[in-house]
Amino acid sequence: MPHRDRSDDKRVLVIGLGRFGSSLALELVRHGWEVLGMDSNPRLVQTYADALTHTVIGDATDEETMRQVGAPQFNRAVVAIGSHLEESILTTSLLVDLEVASIWAKATSRRHGRILEQVGADHVVLPEHDMGERVAHLLSGRMLDYKEVEQGFAVGKTRAPQSMVGRTLRETRVRQKFGITVVAVKRVGSSFTYTTEETVLHQGDVILVAGRNKDVERFAESR
């Protein structure tokens, strides 16, 4: 029977201690998580032996090895292998067979990501793609920040355009014109707050907008 998703269980198995996997594992430890870091490379395992809760050298595609390290007892696992596609896919598939409730997997391309989803990964991360896309939007000068939350849908952080200053969001008709929603606003010197149709934007306001990628981009480029 599959494990229940225990949200209060702060233990995670991180497979692959390269740049992405080690960075993730160290950050989780910093936030109070118990992390078992696993890699087939003894040098990497030795590097992080003192920083992580537990580390182990092993082949994550081998079922007996995974049972010995206690993989079936973990509620969450991260496959951070990435660069070796076959190993990444086999490991993800094995974690599904071992009934790990929540499996996160790193992909190096959308095709790789689709395969990982097909074999059972619950969440697929494309760190290089996501970072490249984010930097491209920041370089354009229109966005202060940008995040694709899933394929085809994004949240952008930008300054309120002059055309919207002094008007309520209802009056701007921004959803009808651009297909995006202004979900939050940050005044100068304050924090983000949720918006309503009656929210009036001021000079210097920073806003969060959500919508389809192309609509968020079109809105940012409209001023």
Side-chain angles (χ1 to χ4, degrees):
M1 188 171 107
H3 298 300
R4 292 181 181 275
D5 188 1
R6 305 180 301 277
S7 59
D8 59 340
D9 182 358
K10 299 187 73 172
R11 299 181 306 129
V12 62
L13 169 62
V14 177
I15 302 167
L17 295 175
R19 282 188 301 174
F20 174 73
S22 61
S23 175
L24 172 67
L26 292 170
E27 187 67 13
L28 286 170
V29 168
R30 194 173 72 82
H31 285 277
W33 283 64
E34 182 181 326
V35 178
L36 170 58
M38 181 177 182
D39 203 289
S40 58
N41 186 329
R43 182 183 59 79
L44 285 175
V45 172
Q46 181 61 39
T47 298
Y48 298 104
D50 294 332
L52 304 182
T53 318
H54 308 286
T55 53
V56 63
I57 303 167
D59 177 5
T61 66
D62 181 73
E63 181 175 349
E64 184 57 33
T65 298
M66 293 293 274
R67 290 190 181 277
Q68 287 178 1
V69 303
Q73 278 69 58
F74 280 86
N75 187 43
R76 296 178 181 84
V78 179
V79 181
I81 298 167
S83 56
H84 300 284
L85 268 63
E86 184 179 359
E87 188 178 344
S88 164
I89 294 163
L90 288 174
T91 299
T92 302
S93 178
L94 180 54
L95 289 171
V96 173
D97 292 341
L98 295 174
E99 298 181 345
V100 174
S102 181
I103 302 168
W104 295 68
K106 173 190 174 184
T108 54
S109 67
R110 292 215 180 273
R111 179 173 177 272
H112 182 196
R114 283 194 297 271
I115 295 171
L116 290 171
E117 288 175 342
Q118 288 166 1
V119 300
D122 301 291
H123 309 275
V124 172
V125 183
L126 290 95
E128 288 87 357
H129 174 274
D130 292 347
M131 183 54 71
E133 187 174 67
R134 178 171 176 266
V135 171
H137 283 89
L138 301 186
L139 279 173
S140 72
R142 301 296 187 183
M143 295 283 188
L144 300 175
D145 208 345
Y146 179 92
K147 175 64 179 176
E148 185 178 40
V149 293
E150 70 174 32
Q151 189 170 359
F153 195 88
V155 175
K157 176 182 174 183
T158 187
R159 297 198 183 280
Q162 189 62 42
S163 60
M164 294 175 66
V165 170
R167 304 165 66 194
T168 66
L169 290 178
R170 178 188 286 115
E171 290 171 336
T172 66
R173 301 185 71 249
V174 67
R175 187 178 296 181
Q176 291 83 358
K177 290 179 180 176
F178 297 99
I180 58 95
T181 301
V182 179
V183 295
V185 60
K186 181 179 182 180
R187 310 284 187 214
V188 177
S190 65
S191 302
F192 274 109
T193 57
Y194 293 113
T195 60
T196 70
E197 289 190 333
E198 302 308 316
T199 298
V200 177
L201 298 181
H202 300 161
Q203 190 77 37
D205 281 355
V206 173
I207 55 177
L208 293 182
V209 300
R212 293 179 301 176
N213 294 20
K214 62 180 182 180
D215 293 333
V216 172
E217 293 163 1
R218 186 164 60 95
F219 170 74
E221 293 167 1
S222 66
R223 64 212 53 207

